[in-house]
Amino acid sequence: MVRLLLASLVLTLASPALAAETLTIYSGRNEKLVGPLLKKFTEKTGVEVKVRYGETPQLAATLLEEGAKTPADVFFAQDAGALGALAKAGQLQVLPKETLDKVDARFRSPQGVWVGTSGRARVVAYNTKKVKADTLPKSILGFTDAKWKGRLGWAPTNASFQSFVTALRLLKGDEAATQWLKGIQANAPRVYKNNSAIIEALGRGEIDAGFVNHYYLYSAKKNKADLPVANYFVAAGDPGALVNVAGVAILKGSKNTDAAKKLAAYLLDAEAQTYFAQETSEFPLVSGVKLAEGLPALDKVGSPDLDLSKLDDLRGTVKLLQDTGVL
């Protein structure tokens, strides 16, 4: 009898703690990238994680469909637009002020329901044997000039490119975005499946310039240091200088809020921010963390003044890409 009572007492004390210290994460960031970091989080905090990996847009759609019944505690998204869509649907809870305050207001939710964990800038990558940096346009809009005909590469199906087009729509209007897309189309760009393929094509000399995220070049140069490709940052404030973020949010229905807050805080501590900076060459969003070699300071990039939550209109952007014949 005494043994049964003791066993019951142990279960009563242990079970809630165990439940509270196991997180279900929906991650739009791939396992190869963030798996090691989540393992370090568990080692440091004792919080176990169950991770569902997938593409950010699809996971966001799943969360919207699951609503309050979702088993997810945390959404670790590849871009702010998906987080904005969930915020608009009222599915996210407010993060602790001390977590939000670690990141510049440009890179977090105005309502405090998500926070950026790392940044990536849009750049024009170019072949250094065929192009001199001082001949490149100061604005992304300048690449509609006919002198770039047959020299460009882009990846219209890529999510990061589509986020850029959404930003262009927000900053300059749908008409200007339409004219830019038509102007690039008139220059007969080569079409690639993703950013990496553009960098590879630049290295082969197949194209002179291409529209990518900054860190793909760093990844490529780890395997081939002498690749004749460099990143070009357009003028500060230009739509082509967009810095989008990966970010984290806690679902409103989470039953493990304390553990989820620990994860959000961990992703912004020095260990995690250094991991993003050195392993993936992304921009750390917390001050005092050393950047990857050759990367300019984030405030020098000059991302345009834009609420990144508003990058959620993917459907409107895809329609525009279809209407202009890009897709």
Side-chain angles (χ1 to χ4, degrees):
M1 184 68 177
V2 172
R3 188 177 297 171
L4 284 172
L5 285 171
L6 286 172
S8 176
L9 180 60
V10 168
L11 285 171
T12 301
L13 291 172
S15 297
L18 288 172
E21 295 296 310
T22 302
L23 275 181
T24 298
I25 302 169
Y26 282 16
S27 177
R29 310 220 68 187
N30 71 62
E31 185 173 6
K32 184 178 178 181
L33 173 64
V34 302
L37 193 60
L38 294 175
K39 184 178 179 181
K40 288 181 180 181
F41 167 70
T42 295
E43 290 170 354
K44 187 171 184 176
T45 65
V47 177
E48 297 291 336
V49 297
K50 288 192 251 179
V51 189
R52 175 176 175 176
Y53 291 100
E55 295 296 321
T56 288
Q58 284 71 38
L59 289 174
T62 298
L63 286 164
L64 288 168
E65 185 177 336
E66 290 174 343
K69 295 180 180 179
T70 182
D73 298 298
V74 171
F75 184 32
F76 193 7
Q78 179 75 1
D79 71 84
L83 293 163
L86 288 167
K88 189 183 290 185
Q91 288 186 224
L92 306 178
Q93 60 176 275
V94 176
L95 294 167
K97 185 177 185 300
E98 60 268 25
T99 298
L100 294 166
D101 285 348
K102 289 183 177 180
V103 174
D104 188 285
R106 292 178 299 158
F107 304 123
R108 64 180 194 241
S109 158
Q111 295 78 37
V113 295
W114 61 262
V115 67
T117 53
S118 58
R120 57 190 182 278
R122 292 299 292 176
V123 296
V124 180
Y126 65 99
N127 182 295
T128 55
K129 292 182 178 179
K130 301 173 75 176
V131 179
K132 293 188 181 301
D134 59 8
T135 66
L136 291 161
K138 287 184 167 44
S139 171
I140 198 72
L141 305 179
F143 286 94
T144 58
D145 191 300
K147 71 180 182 182
W148 291 100
K149 189 162 188 176
R151 302 172 65 192
L152 299 173
W154 64 357
T157 60
N158 182 259
S160 60
F161 174 80
Q162 292 181 5
S163 290
F164 153 70
V165 174
T166 305
L168 181 60
R169 292 172 55 214
L170 290 167
L171 291 163
K172 298 292 185 181
D174 280 2
E175 182 56 33
T178 298
Q179 293 308 310
W180 185 80
L181 290 167
K182 287 181 175 179
I184 299 296
Q185 277 284 77
N187 279 337
R190 287 181 179 257
V191 177
Y192 298 94
K193 64 180 181 179
N194 55 32
N195 291 282
S196 296
I198 292 174
I199 297 294
E200 290 167 8
L202 284 164
R204 294 192 299 268
E206 190 173 289
I207 53 176
D208 292 359
F211 311 134
V212 298
N213 285 340
H214 80 274
Y215 57 90
Y216 285 92
L217 177 59
Y218 286 82
S219 177
K221 286 201 169 187
K222 286 179 180 178
N223 298 319
K224 191 176 182 183
D226 62 347
L227 196 70
V229 182
N231 283 336
Y232 173 75
F233 291 83
V234 297
D238 191 78
L242 176 71
V243 176
N244 201 346
V245 297
V248 66
I250 301 174
L251 279 300
K252 191 171 277 187
S254 171
K255 295 179 176 62
N256 300 299
T257 300
D258 288 345
K261 288 177 180 177
K262 287 180 185 176
L263 177 62
Y266 173 75
L267 293 173
L268 295 176
D269 79 5
E271 181 177 57
Q273 290 290 293
T274 299
Y275 178 90
F276 290 129
Q278 301 304 320
E279 296 299 320
T280 70
S281 302
E282 292 176 284
F283 285 99
L285 296 183
V286 174
S287 62
V289 177
K290 185 180 178 182
L291 297 170
E293 187 177 350
L295 201 60
L298 192 53
D299 58 358
K300 300 282 194 222
V301 175
S303 184
D305 186 14
L306 178 68
D307 175 2
L308 296 176
S309 294
K310 294 181 178 177
L311 296 177
D312 64 330
D313 186 20
L314 177 61
R315 187 173 297 175
T317 291
V318 169
K319 184 177 188 305
L320 181 61
L321 292 169
Q322 292 169 337
D323 290 346
T324 53
V326 176
L327 291 181

